[in-house]
Amino acid sequence: MIAMNDRTGERDTRRAPGMGTGLVVGCLVGVLGMCGLGAVGLYLLASKAGLIADGDGGLGELAGLAVVLLLVAAGHVGASVWAWRIRPKLVAVALTQAPHVAAYAAVPFWWSATWPVWFILWAAAALAAAGWLTVWFLTVPTVARRAVVYLTAMAVLLAVNIGGIFATGWDRTNGFGWKGQPTPWAAFIALTATSCLADHGFHNNGSRVVEADCALTADRDYTGYYDKPRFDNQLADEQPREAFQKWWGWNRDYQLSFRLSWDQHTTTVDGKQIPFPLPDEISGTTATIEYVLTIESALHAGPDEPYTMTADTITETWHVQFKTVAIGGWKVARIDIPDPIRAAFREN
């Protein structure tokens, strides 16, 4: 539509607001609405979980989410103002709006996930960069030089993000299982946790503390189940697995779930005894630790136990050897048990 300018009497050739303008207005209203609803929802969830009352790390996570959403919303407003002023085609509006909408949509998934909230900001920034580059290219897509610059920039963006994903995964998974733990005792804690026999389930996994996959279900209770992938990551050799085999076998054969504890005693690294308190990191090539295993419980879930266990003792001593691996860190190399527990099982 062409209108006359009231002041000059000349024809006004500016485009009248169309579908693109309506979409921009809708996006701005959506941003405000989602921010408001998100704030209310987060407050209710935090109150229900006790995070606000406790004032601990959970509240810090909410603060991090608030910062991320603020930055995403700021970028969204900037993109919307640009669209309002330029009135681009719908393709350009969609390319510049989609990263921010995707970031908002990712929040519910983050709430129940283990990845940090800044991943949302990272993904939104990467998608926004790709979107703006594409919008720039589409303004004059027939210019060869512009196409070369666009493809080069997209290749660099892709390479940087792939490198970032790899580095983050490497840090969060102990080099995808190739690296060892920062100390020998951390390696043993991780080994026992992932055996699903320990009275604890948490252990280091790169830069994170994670829980072993030991949630028992009807098809796992008495199958000798353990968190095999993470257990294997703690081993420098297959021999240490033998120390756990009898417990997994007893679980499977006699329908008993065992809970064991290990008390750490003499600890040496490269022949030098390490006193308590133990450091969070230690260098060396070999280490030996003496542990005393204690049976905390041997139970069957349900009203009747199919077997009764009797043993000559409820403790045994483990001599555990560790070594550093080529890529760095400690792994369990060998476990010797000079006087193992001997048990008998009577069917009820």
Side-chain angles (χ1 to χ4, degrees), residues 45-66:
L45 286 170
S47 299
K48 186 175 181 180
L51 298 177
I52 292 179
D54 293 339
D56 55 9
L59 190 57
E61 289 289 323
L62 290 178
L65 177 61

Side-chain angles (χ1 to χ4, degrees), residues 177-188:
W178 298 332
K179 286 181 64 178
Q181 297 285 353
T183 64
W185 40 94
F188 191 75

Side-chain angles (χ1 to χ4, degrees), residues 4-338:
M4 298 296 294
N5 190 303
D6 293 337
R7 290 187 299 137
T8 65
E10 297 177 353
R11 298 171 68 184
D12 193 343
T13 57
R14 291 177 299 176
R15 287 182 293 171
M19 187 178 296
T21 300
L23 183 58
V24 171
V25 173
C27 287
L28 287 173
V29 173
V31 169
L32 295 175
M34 282 185 284
C35 286
L37 291 175
V40 173
L42 287 174
Y43 178 81
L44 293 175
L45 286 170
S47 299
K48 186 175 181 180
L51 298 177
I52 292 179
D54 293 339
D56 55 9
L59 190 57
E61 289 289 323
L62 290 178
L65 177 61
V67 171
V68 167
L69 288 179
L70 179 63
L71 293 173
V72 171
H76 197 173
V77 169
S80 299
V81 169
W82 171 84
W84 177 268
R85 294 183 61 184
I86 302 300
R87 310 286 175 84
K89 294 181 180 179
L90 283 177
V91 172
V93 174
L95 286 171
T96 53
Q97 296 285 327
H100 308 283
V101 176
Y104 304 137
V107 172
F109 298 96
W110 165 81
W111 188 264
S112 58
T114 58
W115 37 272
V117 69
W118 63 267
F119 278 18
I120 296 176
L121 185 62
W122 179 6
L127 291 174
W132 282 106
L133 280 170
T134 303
V135 168
W136 172 80
F137 168 71
L138 290 177
T139 56
V140 191
T142 57
V143 176
R145 182 177 298 177
R146 182 174 290 246
V148 171
V149 172
Y150 171 70
L151 291 174
T152 302
M154 289 294 284
V156 171
L157 180 65
L158 181 63
V160 168
N161 280 277
I162 290 176
I165 292 170
F166 179 83
T168 301
W170 182 274
D171 180 60
R172 288 169 59 83
T173 60
N174 252 18
F176 306 106
W178 298 332
K179 286 181 64 178
Q181 297 285 353
T183 64
W185 40 94
F188 191 75
I189 289 173
L191 189 72
T192 54
T194 54
S195 75
C196 297
L197 297 168
D199 56 358
H200 62 89
F202 291 91
H203 62 95
N204 290 337
N205 192 44
S207 60
R208 301 180 299 156
V209 175
V210 299
E211 187 173 13
D213 178 21
C214 294
L216 297 181
T217 59
D219 60 345
R220 286 185 181 181
D221 281 355
Y222 306 110
T223 61
Y225 180 85
Y226 64 104
D227 189 349
K228 188 176 186 302
R230 289 178 177 165
F231 183 92
D232 292 350
N233 289 345
Q234 315 308 321
L235 299 179
D237 189 60
E238 277 297 302
Q239 191 275 345
R241 195 187 309 272
E242 298 173 6
F244 297 88
Q245 291 286 6
K246 77 176 180 184
W247 301 100
W248 295 329
W250 288 347
N251 166 255
R252 183 173 52 251
D253 296 340
Y254 301 110
Q255 308 291 286
L256 294 173
S257 293
F258 294 94
R259 282 295 170 265
L260 313 176
S261 63
W262 285 264
D263 293 326
Q264 184 173 347
H265 290 269
T266 306
T267 301
T268 61
V269 175
D270 289 345
K272 180 181 178 181
Q273 187 165 331
I274 308 300
F276 289 92
L278 299 170
D280 294 332
E281 292 186 26
I282 194 167
S283 59
T285 55
T286 60
T288 303
I289 303 177
E290 180 185 283
Y291 290 94
V292 175
L293 175 150
T294 302
I295 303 175
E296 300 290 344
S297 64
L299 303 173
H300 178 87
D304 299 316
E305 292 190 354
Y307 290 89
T308 298
M309 173 184 174
T310 57
D312 55 348
T313 179
I314 63 169
T315 64
E316 63 184 25
T317 300
W318 288 26
H319 298 291
V320 186
Q321 298 176 27
F322 305 83
K323 68 179 182 180
T324 52
V325 292
I327 204 168
W330 296 89
K331 293 197 175 190
V332 182
R334 184 176 181 84
I335 299 175
D336 293 308
I337 308 171

